[in-house]
Amino acid sequence: MSTPFYVSPQQAMADRAEYARKGIARGRSLVVLQYVDGIVFVGENPSRALHKFSEIYDRIGFAAAGKYNEYENLRIGGVRYADLRGYTYDRDDVTARGLANVYAQTLGTIFSSAAEKPYEVELVVAEVGETPDGDQIYRLPHDGSIVDEHGSVAVGGNAEQISSYLDQRHQDGMTLAEALSLAVQALSRDTNGTQREIPAERLEVAVLDRTRPQQRKFKRIVGRQLARLLEADGASSATEAEDAEEE
């Protein structure tokens, strides 16, 4: 009779974490930033049907990087949780923090279970408040931990470098065009520091806009509206450069 191969619990967890991180790193990065009127989601996504960003509830948005079928299952579960809680209690009882806790329990259980592989996903759950101080952004790595983020957050393949770039340049009170431009600049930087161009048709952009009069604050930015925002910030940057030269 052969002796079973022994792996220490620490080594098993380290191997599972490495497996999940490699799977997430193969996906394209995305960023979530606060701006003066809400929260903007920006990612490079050539598909028009397989979305990285989605609405969960009235004021709550969902972003994910990694394996599509796995984070799509989590998204659907989050929508069901939110609908049931809002119907059973009150719509105001559905919060990003509560949803993040549900996702954390699910991801943590799967990660620690030896019966199935860990999910190769990293999530962001965001809720827009009545004021910028009320905005909430939570990042959930593959192991089910919860990280409370402020200002900006990046997940996906090149997240560490992008986060560093955003931390140095993101400011409170940015307009939507300014936040969008910063996000595109961060996403277009390669690991070697060179800049590449991401055309508008390869961008997926959505916002949680606190100024919308309706109860549902999630909206996708597409087509001409997206092109106008990109052009507006480009024109603003050119004007600032001319003013600097005159001075």
Side-chain angles (χ1 to χ4, degrees):
M1 182 177 179
S2 60
T3 303
F5 184 72
Y6 174 75
V7 178
S8 68
Q10 294 87 349
Q11 184 61 47
M13 287 299 172
D15 291 344
R16 292 172 69 82
E18 183 66 17
Y19 174 86
R21 280 194 293 266
K22 286 183 177 179
I24 296 168
R26 287 192 289 269
R28 292 183 175 89
S29 301
L30 59 90
V31 298
V32 180
L33 299 88
Q34 288 180 272
Y35 70 102
V36 65
D37 289 329
I39 300 170
V40 59
F41 305 76
V42 186
E44 183 179 2
N45 184 9
S47 173
R48 298 295 89 187
L50 306 180
H51 296 301
K52 291 176 175 287
F53 313 132
S54 299
E55 178 186 33
I56 295 293
Y57 210 60
D58 295 343
R59 311 175 70 90
I60 301 174
F62 170 94
K67 210 165 186 180
Y68 176 80
N69 67 310
E70 293 179 346
Y71 68 68
E72 178 65 6
N73 286 336
L74 292 170
R75 183 194 68 83
I76 293 171
V79 171
R80 289 173 177 165
Y81 160 82
D83 283 344
L84 179 60
R85 187 168 183 84
Y87 177 78
T88 306
Y89 300 100
D90 187 85
R91 299 187 78 90
D92 291 338
D93 289 328
V94 183
T95 64
R97 185 174 62 180
L99 185 64
N101 286 331
V102 172
Y103 281 143
Q105 293 173 20
T106 302
L107 288 171
T109 300
I110 293 171
F111 180 75
S112 59
S113 172
E116 55 184 320
K117 76 172 190 63
Y119 271 16
E120 301 166 56
V121 298
E122 192 167 9
L123 310 180
V124 176
V125 178
E127 179 180 357
V128 66
E130 297 292 341
T131 65
D133 290 339
D135 293 345
Q136 300 176 42
I137 302 176
Y138 299 101
R139 178 172 61 87
L140 293 98
H142 55 274
D143 60 357
S145 56
I146 302 178
V147 183
D148 186 7
E149 301 283 0
H150 298 278
S152 63
V153 60
V155 297
N158 198 21
E160 188 173 341
Q161 178 180 329
I162 293 173
S163 293
S164 177
Y165 185 88
L166 292 174
D167 289 343
Q168 296 171 13
R169 292 163 177 80
H170 181 266
Q171 299 176 352
D172 293 336
M174 298 180 80
T175 65
L176 176 56
E178 290 170 343
L180 176 58
S181 176
L182 176 61
V184 174
Q185 291 172 22
L187 290 169
S188 62
R189 291 177 63 85
D190 291 327
T191 53
N192 57 9
T194 59
Q195 200 88 8
R196 61 189 177 89
E197 184 178 354
I198 304 177
E201 56 268 19
R202 290 182 64 88
L203 288 172
E204 181 182 353
V205 181
V207 294
L208 288 169
D209 184 355
R210 80 176 95 256
T211 64
R212 296 190 81 196
Q214 57 264 56
Q215 200 166 27
R216 297 171 63 178
K217 305 301 182 183
F218 184 89
K219 181 178 73 170
R220 297 192 183 277
I221 307 295
V222 297
R224 293 180 180 177
Q225 186 180 11
L226 176 57
R228 283 197 300 267
L229 285 169
L230 293 172
E231 290 170 2
D233 192 72
S236 175
S237 299
T239 302
E240 291 175 0
E242 290 174 2
D243 292 342
E245 287 178 1
E246 291 175 1
E247 293 175 359

